[in-house]
Amino acid sequence: MSSKSLNSKSQVVTQGNRRAPNRAMLRAVGFSDDDFQKPIVGVANGQSDITPCNAGLGKLADIAAAQIRKEGGMPQTFGTITISDGISMGTEGMKCSLVSRDVIADSIETVCRGASMDAVICIGGCDKNMPGAMIAMARLNIPSIFVYGGTIKPGHLDGKDLTVVSVFEAVGQFGAGTIDENQLTEIEKHACPGFGSCGGMYTANTMSSAFEAMGMSLPYSSTMANEDKEKELNTGLCSETLMQMIKHNILPRDIMTRKAFENAIAVIMAIGGSTNAVLHLLAIAYSADVELTIDDFESIRKKIPLFCDLKPSGEYVAVDLHHAGGIPQVMKMMLNAGMIYGDCLTVTGKTVAENLKDIPDNPPASQNVILPIDKPKYTEGHLVVLKGNLCQEGALAKVSGVKTRNISGSAKCFDSEEECLDAILDDRIKEGDVIVIRFEGPKGGPGMREMLAPTAAIVGKGLGDKVALITDGRFSGGTYGIVIGHIAPEAQTGGNLALVRDGDTINIDIEHNRLDVKLTDEELDNRRKDFKPKESPYKNGVLAKYAKLVSSASKGAVTD
């Protein structure tokens, strides 16, 4: 076992040597004499009724614990927090979303270290408890497996599928006068019909797909619906798999190799995943001591076609992908085309190629979700890394569904998301504008909020192909349009984004990976003399602490 792992192999089989006071405490929670000889397995889960993403996790934790006990382990269940991006979106609460990723990682690591866990199964179902769990697994390096809580099923209204993004866009449509208040309310009522994470290829389903591609979760598990029986059966199978990982000493860092991260990035490009995957995979790689940079995403992108037709820029949702063959079908096609590595180890104890051995070479002809790999929606991946005098460290553009890739427009500057949203809804944004939202980065927000409310309002107003939006904040996995985020250095640290003024010309050239403001270095230097960071209202507490510790978005916004 790795020297960096939490427990040595001898500790796994000598729990009975815990001192009498330790054993006395454990007896009070149900340990018997024989249980002290068993591997102690943490069952970390984010069960809460704060959000539908996590409301269905408790039953899965119970199933996992019962199966661990049946397989000869001793489960110890504990919870962790969650913040709902969808509920906090567009509010001050969204500042806590990315912060929660690191709080979750710290909490899982703390419990597993403090209680000397021999292994851990993490059950997550929302955007941040998923990468948070994976960061903790990478740090701990004890036998670990991830269980995705499952996706939500689509809502339906007037013969159309709905997701939570439909509601945000409806707000813009209502503001534009294209729907009335009754229609808005009906969309709200029908968009989220039950438990599970947001249904398109938004951040949660992107990350679950990435973890499956990386080999840290079981095949097919990333696209199952929370409310379907197969998710319960899959959870039990995950517990069985984890007990085999303990037996054969398979550790996360054996699986989370450089090749595994490349496989995850390639799959994300193929399915049209969220920009947040870049941020999270960089952070997970950092915790696993794997060298990965934002530029690696760009080099991989150029080799991978986008051949799945999924929301937000496509037609279908995650359960449709599942019925078409899921991530295994996508990976089998990519393996055959030489686009992913087949020799990577996975939680099954088998390699990627061995897991995919019996998967058909092509999906059923009756489906339209997974396209022929030689007839894709786009010949290259959709997450483009930009550089330029506005983003020397990098920025991200999500170009799936974008018709115009070269734009030059006049800047309209806002120092917060709220200011921008008011301007959009008040019709102060016009065709040809380049909206600038700044001081929303990791330090400046603090917390790097997602800009789904303004981007969805832009689409709802009918301006999706007519204006651009750039920001040092993030975007929801549900965002699409001419949008560029993760601009680094961020405004709060003196990045050039802070120096832009209304009326400056901003050039976006996605074809050549450029984002620039039409100002000379001399003019930028002159403006910098007057720059002052935005004063934060958070003087203590978690947000103040986060702002002091967090790194650049170009490095995954890590805090350690």
Side-chain angles (χ1 to χ4, degrees), residues 348-366:
T348 65
K350 299 178 181 179
T351 65
V352 167
E354 289 170 336
N355 285 344
L356 300 176
K357 181 176 178 292
D358 295 326
I359 304 298
D361 290 335
N362 295 295
S366 58

Side-chain angles (χ1 to χ4, degrees), residues 263-298:
N263 280 354
I265 295 169
V267 168
I268 288 165
M269 296 298 177
I271 62 179
S274 166
T275 52
N276 284 311
V278 179
L279 199 72
H280 298 324
L281 288 178
L282 288 172
I284 297 165
Y286 177 85
S287 294
D289 284 340
V290 171
E291 290 190 13
L292 191 71
T293 71
I294 192 171
D295 294 324
D296 292 320
F297 287 80
E298 179 62 22

Side-chain angles (χ1 to χ4, degrees), residues 1 66 112 159 183 303 320 330-331 369 391 460 485 498 508 524 526 558:
M1 190 173 282
C112 288
Q183 290 171 299
K303 305 172 187 176
D320 297 319
V330 172
M331 291 183 72
V369 186
C391 54
I508 301 170
L524 288 168
N526 286 335
V558 297

Side-chain angles (χ1 to χ4, degrees), residues 10 13 17 33-34 73 87 126 138 153 167 179 215 224 227 233 239 267 293 309 320 337 348 439 450 481 503 533 553:
S10 62
V13 296
N17 293 332
D33 289 346
D34 290 343
I87 295 172
C126 205
K153 294 182 178 180
V167 187
I179 63 173
M224 293 177 177
E227 295 184 327
L233 298 174
S239 294
V267 168
T293 71
D309 190 17
D320 297 319
T348 65
F439 296 104
E450 293 180 348

Side-chain angles (χ1 to χ4, degrees), residues 67-334:
Q67 191 64 37
I68 288 166
R69 192 181 294 273
K70 182 178 179 182
E71 296 293 322
M74 192 60 189
Q76 289 193 295
T77 303
F78 63 96
T80 185
I81 67 163
T82 193
I83 301 294
S84 170
D85 288 15
I87 295 172
S88 63
M89 195 75 69
T91 73
E92 183 185 19
M94 189 66 196
K95 294 176 184 288
C96 295
S97 170
L98 186 58
V99 175
S100 75
R101 181 194 72 181
D102 292 69
V103 173
I104 291 161
D106 291 350
S107 68
I108 294 173
E109 179 191 4
T110 301
V111 172
C112 288
R113 288 193 189 279
S116 299
M117 301 288 186
D118 298 306
V120 65
I121 182 170
C122 294
I123 306 170
C126 205
D127 292 7
K128 304 309 175 298
N129 55 43
M130 300 171 68
M134 200 63 61
I135 289 170
M137 290 176 181
R139 291 176 185 170
L140 292 163
N141 204 34
I142 57 177
S144 308
I145 193 169
F146 182 79
V147 178
Y148 181 39
T151 186
I152 196 171
K153 294 182 178 180
H156 300 284
L157 183 66
D158 298 330
K160 295 181 180 179
D161 285 351
L162 299 177
T163 68
V164 67
V165 176
S166 306
V167 187
F168 284 95
E169 292 176 3
V171 171
Q173 293 168 335
F174 176 69
T178 56
I179 63 173
D180 59 27
E181 186 172 359
N182 180 65
Q183 290 171 299
L184 173 61
T185 301
E186 287 303 304
I187 293 171
E188 173 195 323
K189 288 179 177 179
H190 289 83
C192 299
F195 291 167
S197 299
C198 300
M201 192 47 66
Y202 309 145
T203 302
N205 286 323
T206 297
M207 296 315 300
S208 68
S209 299
F211 297 165
E212 182 177 329
M214 193 185 296
M216 285 299 296
S217 58
L218 289 181
Y220 293 107
S221 64
S222 65
T223 50
M224 293 177 177
N226 172 269
E227 295 184 327
D228 284 350
K229 184 68 176 179
E230 66 175 344
K231 174 49 65 178
E232 298 181 14
L233 298 174
N234 176 261
T235 301
L237 183 58
C238 287
S239 294
E240 293 178 32
T241 301
L242 180 60
M243 296 306 294
Q244 289 299 309
M245 293 175 71
I246 296 171
K247 179 180 179 180
H248 297 289
N249 197 30
I250 298 174
L251 305 177
R253 294 192 189 188
D254 299 330
I255 297 170
M256 289 191 223
T257 62
R258 166 72 188 211
K259 284 184 177 180
F261 278 96
E262 291 189 22
N263 280 354
I265 295 169
V267 168
I268 288 165
M269 296 298 177
I271 62 179
S274 166
T275 52
N276 284 311
V278 179
L279 199 72
H280 298 324
L281 288 178
L282 288 172
I284 297 165
Y286 177 85
S287 294
D289 284 340
V290 171
E291 290 190 13
L292 191 71
T293 71
I294 192 171
D295 294 324
D296 292 320
F297 287 80
E298 179 62 22
S299 61
I300 294 171
R301 176 190 77 82
K302 293 179 179 178
K303 305 172 187 176
I304 307 298
L306 194 165
F307 61 98
C308 294
D309 190 17
L310 295 162
K311 290 180 181 294
S313 59
E315 292 296 321
Y316 299 98
V317 295
V319 290
D320 297 319
L321 175 60
H322 189 64
H323 296 147
I327 295 301
Q329 181 64 75
V330 172
M331 291 183 72
K332 181 60 175 285
M333 296 164 69
M334 297 178 76

